[in-house]
Amino acid sequence: MNKDIREGIKAALPVVLGYLPVGMAYGVLARAAGLSIIETGAMSLIVFAGASQFIAVGLLGAGAAIVPVILTTFVVNSRHMLMSSAIAPYFKGQPLRNLIPISAQLTDESFAIAMADTSRITGRPRYVIALQMTAYSAWVGGPIAGALFGTLVDSASYGIPFAMTALFICLLVPQLRTRAHLVVGAVAGVLALSFIEILPNNLYIIVATAGAALTGLWLTEARRESAKAPEGAPAGSVTEAEVEI
């Protein structure tokens, strides 16, 4: 097996361990919302967007019409444009046959794994595709298992509605390695909580994402300015934002 593919599969294992139980939780909720086993599996196969799928089954379970469901999930998924823009520079010059699967299979989790160490993805489309396809397999399998056995458990028990949130927390915590990371995370959290009751259709996610990204950009530029060697000061001095926690 190609080295890049092997390493991509290995890198996806933490995501797989998260996707399987979360996917099963989604399968349980989808069945409770009235979706059949085939519909539950097909949504994971075609949509492949956990947050949107949880929201969609919630809306369907509440009796929402199909148009609001489509519009809401579209808005929630619009954050993928920001993630795609961030990861695109690492695949400049790649043929379309590589760019299509990379863009189609991009998720929050695979994005977090890939961007945690960009030296592992630069010019390595096979690594990223293997990472994403392994995660994709788990996300399709988990919901089908949940749909098959979902009628045996109470969909409101065992913390099932909290499963997706728990997955994001597990992915976030290992990324908080410096004070700058903490600041960016805190800005995203404050913005999300500030706008969750104000903006419709989960637009608070876009506001929080953009605010956190701008904060990260500002901290990065401030670090570069600080690293320039002023007269009488050593070059590359470490700023407070770079200090590991």
Side-chain angles (χ1 to χ4, degrees):
M1 180 183 294
N2 180 276
K3 179 185 175 184
D4 288 355
I5 295 176
R6 187 171 62 250
E7 291 184 358
I9 293 173
K10 183 179 178 181
L13 293 181
V15 180
V16 170
L17 294 177
Y19 272 6
L20 286 174
V22 174
M24 293 178 69
Y26 157 73
V28 172
L29 293 175
R31 292 287 283 153
L35 272 66
S36 68
I37 295 174
I38 294 177
E39 289 169 339
T40 300
M43 184 182 281
S44 293
L45 193 66
I46 298 170
V47 178
F48 188 36
S52 295
Q53 290 179 230
F54 272 88
I55 292 171
V57 296
L59 291 172
L60 292 172
I66 191 66
V67 173
V69 173
I70 292 174
L71 290 177
T72 301
T73 53
F74 174 79
V75 171
V76 172
N77 277 344
S78 60
R79 70 190 186 284
H80 285 241
M81 290 187 284
L82 297 175
M83 292 190 294
S84 299
S85 300
I87 203 170
Y90 300 99
F91 299 100
K92 279 184 177 177
Q94 289 294 325
L96 201 60
R97 67 174 182 275
N98 289 335
L99 296 178
I100 288 176
I102 290 173
S103 57
Q105 302 296 323
L106 186 65
T107 65
D108 302 88
E109 296 77 15
S110 60
F111 176 80
I113 296 290
M115 297 302 287
D117 183 358
T118 54
S119 65
R120 293 186 299 184
I121 65 171
T122 304
R124 300 178 71 194
R126 289 182 177 178
Y127 170 88
V128 178
I129 293 172
L131 188 163
Q132 294 175 328
M133 291 305 297
T134 304
Y136 180 56
S137 301
W139 182 250
V140 173
I144 292 176
L148 285 172
F149 304 103
T151 55
L152 302 178
V153 299
D154 181 2
S155 61
S157 61
Y158 304 108
I160 289 175
F162 189 69
M164 194 70 192
T165 305
L167 174 61
F168 280 118
I169 292 173
C170 291
L171 288 168
L172 171 65
V173 171
Q175 308 301 323
L176 302 177
R177 296 191 294 268
T178 68
R179 291 182 183 177
H181 294 159
L182 275 179
V183 171
V184 172
V187 169
V190 169
L191 288 174
L193 292 174
S194 299
F195 289 96
I196 190 171
E197 299 293 342
I198 300 174
L199 299 177
N201 299 323
N202 294 300
L203 283 173
Y204 71 94
I205 296 176
I206 304 299
V207 173
T209 303
L214 290 173
T215 302
L217 177 63
W218 176 75
L219 288 173
T220 301
E221 292 299 321
R223 182 182 60 189
R224 287 174 180 167
E225 290 297 321
S226 179
K228 291 179 181 175
E231 276 186 50
S237 12
V238 177
T239 65
E240 185 178 355
E242 289 179 295
V243 175
E244 291 191 356
I245 55 177

